[in-house]
Amino acid sequence: MFLTISTTGSPERPATDLGFLLHKHPGKAQSFSTSHGTAHVFYPEATDERCTAGLLLEVDPVALVRRGQGKGQSGTPDAALAQYVNDRPYAASSLLAVALSGVFRNALKGQCAARPELPDEVRPLRIEIPVLPARGGAELVRRLFAPLGWASVTATPLPLDETFPEWGDSRYVRLVLEGELRLSDALRGLYVLLPVLDDSKHYWIASDEVDKLLRAGEGWLADHPESGLITSRYLARHKRLTQDALERLELVRLAEADGSEVEELDNAVDETSDTEDKPVPLAVLRREAILAALGAAGAARVLDLGCGQGQLVQALLKQPAYTEIVGVDVSVRALNVAAKRLRLERMGERQSSRVRLMQGSLAYTDKRLTGYDAAVLSEVIEHLDPERLPALEYAVFGSARPRTVLVTTPNVEYNVRWESLPAGHVRHGDHRFEWTREEFRAWAGDVASRHGYGVAYLPVGDDDPEVGPPTQMAVFTLNTGTTETTGTTEATDTPKEGEAA
């Protein structure tokens, strides 16, 4: 199998700079041993005006078989022969992608020790692959490569036999890519898409392949129109690995849309401790208060927005009254922890039909969240920057509009009762703010007024006569009358029998 990379230049910016980028001298022919053959790098032409590097991979079919390819279940003579007689020595495939990553490792990473300024330069490139498998045809080849920035993607189908044109075209194409790109971007695209088009990886797919895919796809894969197909094929349609990769790509997309770093969004799991408040009894009291309020509202279909590690979802599942429970969080790690907590993989069909975990950002409207009886934001709002609260407000109260919304948040006035909490400190390092009771009620009242809800306030935990409860909860109820009401309703300190406490 064969690939050429060409560029043009001038005496001031010679094309032979390609040799520096590839870390291969244009005046030499070099050979490199691989696990399935030998790779050769040479330069058919190397002048200031034009330079071409060629990568020729000689595949050893016997070595390939010994490494496991072709050891199928069939014992027929034809199947045994196909292990040795196939297109692997001639058509670009995952074998060529592996050779690219080994022979041009530094170029893929965008590194050049001798000329560190070169990798960031955009230069005219022409890449040609004479024989490329294209499972999906020439049109799929164009759909895969065009979004990467190539000005021209030419995929010419190759006939089965030029002597007998009536036989039609083969599944192979001659690919020519032309445009102005950074060399590292061009090579990373090839590294991912060669196995995708081949659709038959020659080596074992393990979890580290997800990391390889995301590294090579950084900056383009998350927004690629065919990201789902690329991810599935690259990972050999391994369902669990594909789901993991797509979730991580979605997190990248959300971070880019939010102008944040991935680590900032994916922070719902504390690496050193559980995310439940200390002491634990307060977390238990909070869940009990939420369950009581949901029961009083008669909710059956419930959203847990910012579900974290799934403690509330787990508690809701234990009560048959809740027929549909959806946990939503932006953090993939948190959702994975929640799935393990709930034992989703081992859950019975009837139980699993009641629960769903979804990745999503609460700062954006999401049609999947409409039509539910209730939504819970338990210890969520304080993790958002104040300027993002209007976006969350509209996404929940303006777009999703559940009949009941429960919001809990710390009462900063109570912090003086925590002996271990230094004065002026918030309870969690990720809290952007903590409100007084007056501040919380002012915010909740404004939200209710703007979106046609009534609101009541309930204490959670010991209601200290001086500083109030450790956690404060607002219960929003959608006004159903013909005229919109905007007033607020205060809950009494001592609930009547049968009311939520």
Side-chain angles (χ1 to χ4, degrees):
M1 59 186 75
F2 186 53
L3 172 150
T4 60
I5 304 170
S6 302
T7 187
T8 56
S10 63
E12 296 75 26
R13 191 189 182 200
T16 49
D17 283 349
L18 182 64
F20 286 103
L21 286 165
L22 295 175
H23 287 248
K24 304 294 180 286
H25 196 287
K28 298 179 181 179
Q30 298 174 267
S31 298
F32 305 87
S33 178
T34 72
S35 58
H36 41 265
T38 305
H40 306 277
V41 178
F42 56 94
Y43 289 78
E45 56 182 342
T47 67
D48 288 349
E49 290 73 28
R50 184 175 177 82
C51 185
T52 297
L55 174 62
L56 174 65
L57 181 61
E58 289 185 301
V59 175
D60 181 353
V62 176
L64 197 59
V65 172
R66 287 174 179 169
R67 289 184 61 83
Q69 174 68 15
K71 294 181 180 178
Q73 297 177 351
S74 174
T76 65
D78 287 346
L81 181 62
Q83 298 179 33
Y84 300 94
V85 183
N86 51 54
D87 66 354
R88 284 326 202 200
Y90 315 106
S93 65
S94 58
L95 298 170
L96 186 58
V98 172
L100 276 174
S101 67
V103 176
F104 298 142
R105 181 182 296 108
N106 290 318
L108 269 163
K109 294 178 180 178
Q111 298 174 347
C112 180
R115 299 278 301 279
E117 76 281 1
L118 288 181
D120 289 330
E121 291 183 0
V122 173
R123 60 183 55 246
L125 293 174
R126 185 181 192 274
I127 294 180
E128 180 176 349
I129 302 177
V131 183
L132 175 69
R135 296 181 187 272
E139 179 55 32
L140 177 61
V141 176
R142 286 186 282 268
R143 296 207 315 267
L144 292 180
F145 280 100
L148 302 189
W150 293 102
S152 172
V153 179
T154 304
T156 307
L158 300 176
L160 279 171
D161 192 320
E162 294 179 352
T163 310
F164 301 97
E166 64 272 15
W167 288 2
D169 294 330
S170 68
R171 67 179 184 91
Y172 304 95
V173 300
R174 173 178 173 266
L175 176 64
V176 178
L177 304 171
E178 294 179 294
E180 294 193 357
L181 285 82
R182 297 188 305 174
L183 180 64
S184 59
D185 293 339
L187 292 179
R188 288 191 297 117
L190 285 172
Y191 175 77
V192 172
L193 296 182
L194 287 177
V196 169
L197 287 166
D198 179 35
D199 201 18
S200 181
K201 272 198 165 184
H202 69 281
Y203 51 85
W204 180 254
I205 303 296
S207 57
D208 62 340
E209 289 299 304
V210 175
D211 295 326
K212 293 178 184 178
L213 172 63
L214 297 184
R215 281 197 300 269
E218 184 178 358
W220 63 270
L221 183 54
D223 295 320
H224 196 292
E226 301 290 345
S227 60
L229 180 144
I230 293 171
T231 302
S232 176
R233 284 195 178 188
Y234 183 89
L235 296 170
R237 295 182 172 83
H238 192 295
K239 186 175 180 180
R240 181 180 61 81
L241 295 181
T242 300
Q243 181 179 359
D244 180 28
L246 290 175
E247 287 174 346
R248 290 167 64 180
L249 284 172
E250 176 64 11
L251 187 60
V252 170
R253 188 190 66 77
L254 289 171
E256 289 176 349
D258 198 49
S260 306
E261 296 295 329
V262 171
E263 292 76 12
E264 293 179 20
L265 291 180
D266 201 14
N267 64 359
V269 177
D270 190 331
E271 298 285 0
T272 59
S273 65
D274 200 330
T275 58
E276 292 186 335
D277 288 340
K278 302 299 189 250
V280 173
L282 178 57
V284 173
L285 289 172
R286 185 186 305 122
R287 282 197 292 274
E288 289 177 349
I290 291 170
L291 292 171
L294 290 173
R301 302 174 67 239
V302 179
L303 297 167
D304 183 5
L305 303 178
C307 65
Q309 300 180 48
Q311 292 95 330
L312 178 60
V313 173
Q314 186 178 43
L316 290 167
L317 266 175
K318 294 178 181 179
Q319 301 197 21
Y322 301 107
T323 58
E324 185 177 355
I325 306 153
V326 178
V328 182
D329 206 287
V330 74
S331 170
V332 175
R333 288 188 295 166
L335 292 173
N336 287 336
V337 172
K340 290 178 182 178
R341 177 188 295 274
L342 299 172
R343 300 180 181 178
L344 287 182
E345 292 185 354
R346 288 178 285 176
M347 189 177 288
E349 182 177 349
R350 184 175 179 180
Q351 189 79 330
S352 64
S353 66
R354 297 172 57 214
V355 64
R356 187 157 44 110
L357 299 178
M358 302 190 314
Q359 185 185 27
S361 171
L362 303 184
Y364 299 95
T365 58
D366 191 334
K367 292 181 179 179
R368 298 175 299 175
L369 306 183
T370 59
Y372 286 84
D373 299 328
V376 178
L377 292 104
S378 179
E379 310 301 283
V380 170
I381 60 173
E382 64 272 11
H383 290 270
L384 275 68
D385 292 318
E387 59 267 22
R388 303 308 305 274
L389 287 177
L392 176 141
E393 173 191 331
Y394 180 75
V396 176
F397 295 91
S399 176
R401 293 186 70 75
R403 292 203 316 264
T404 301
V405 181
L406 308 181
V407 180
T408 73
T409 192
N411 168 24
V412 71
E413 297 170 77
Y414 192 88
N415 287 359
V416 297
R417 297 292 188 256
W418 301 114
E419 295 181 0
S420 59
L421 185 64
H425 284 238
V426 293
R427 299 183 195 177
H428 189 286
D430 190 54
H431 286 186
R432 304 305 201 262
F433 60 85
E434 288 178 358
W435 277 334
T436 65
R437 287 169 290 174
E438 183 180 355
E439 289 170 329
F440 180 52
R441 294 185 179 203
W443 173 81
D446 288 343
V447 170
S449 177
R450 281 191 290 269
H451 299 284
Y453 283 78
V455 60
Y457 305 98
L458 296 173
V460 178
D462 179 30
D463 196 359
D464 188 289
E466 295 181 6
V467 297
T471 295
Q472 44 193 339
M473 179 164 70
V475 181
F476 296 84
T477 305
L478 185 64
N479 294 321
T480 56
T482 53
T483 59
E484 185 176 287
T485 353
T486 59
T488 63
T489 304
E490 291 286 335
T492 58
D493 291 337
T494 308
K496 296 178 182 179
E497 185 177 355
E499 290 183 343

